[in-house]
């Protein structure tokens, strides 16, 4: 990604000065342009699938293997009281 430049178009030109309103309008347009570009990037990322079908299957297998490991089971057992307390809290407080 490119960084937003700090200087404006009138930098280095002593005969052209911007009024505060013009400077604010220029900054507004710069930000608007940046937002439009970022919205386009988000649209491109959402339109393309991040994982293909075979990659999805591989990820699901890795997740299943991780969940069946002894470390995962031990961690779930250790955090069981905390998770149970959260459920009770959610039910009591709504």
């Amino acid at each position: 990604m490119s960084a937003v430049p700090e200087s404006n178009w009138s930098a280095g030109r002593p005969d052209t000065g911007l009024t505060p309103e013009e400077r604010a309008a220029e900054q507004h347009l710069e930000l608007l342009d940046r937002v439009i570009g970022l919205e386009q990037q988000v649209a491109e990322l959402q339109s393309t699938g991040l994982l293909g079908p075979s990659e999805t299957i591989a990820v699901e297998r890795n997740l299943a293997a991780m969940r069946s490991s002894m470390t995962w089971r031990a961690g779930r057992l250790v955090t069981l009281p905390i998770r149970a307390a959260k459920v009770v809290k959610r039910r009591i407080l709504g």
Side-chain angles (χ1 to χ4, degrees), residues 73-90:
R73 291 180 187 172
R76 294 285 290 177
L77 183 65
V78 168
T79 60
L80 180 63
I82 297 169
R83 289 183 287 123
K86 286 182 180 180
V87 169
V88 169
K89 177 184 167 190
R90 220 180 2 243

Side-chain angles (χ1 to χ4, degrees), residues 23-91:
R23 187 174 314 274
E26 182 178 346
Q27 289 173 346
H28 178 74
L29 289 175
E30 288 173 356
L31 290 174
L32 185 61
D33 184 48
R34 179 128 172 96
V35 167
I36 290 171
L38 291 173
E39 286 176 343
Q40 182 62 34
Q41 286 180 347
V42 167
E44 288 174 9
L45 290 173
Q46 287 177 341
S47 68
T48 60
L50 297 177
L51 295 177
S54 60
E55 293 169 328
T56 303
I57 292 171
V59 167
E60 288 173 353
R61 284 184 186 159
N62 288 340
L63 182 60
M66 180 186 68
R67 286 185 174 167
S68 66
S69 71
M70 193 58 126
T71 307
W72 179 270
R73 291 180 187 172
R76 294 285 290 177
L77 183 65
V78 168
T79 60
L80 180 63
I82 297 169
R83 289 183 287 123
K86 286 182 180 180
V87 169
V88 169
K89 177 184 167 190
R90 220 180 2 243
R91 288 185 182 169

Side-chain angles (χ1 to χ4, degrees), residues 5-20 22-24 26-27 30:
E6 293 297 323
S7 63
N8 57 27
W9 61 270
S10 66
R13 297 180 184 173
D15 59 334
T16 57
L18 293 176
T19 65
E22 292 171 335
R23 187 174 314 274
E26 182 178 346
Q27 289 173 346
E30 288 173 356

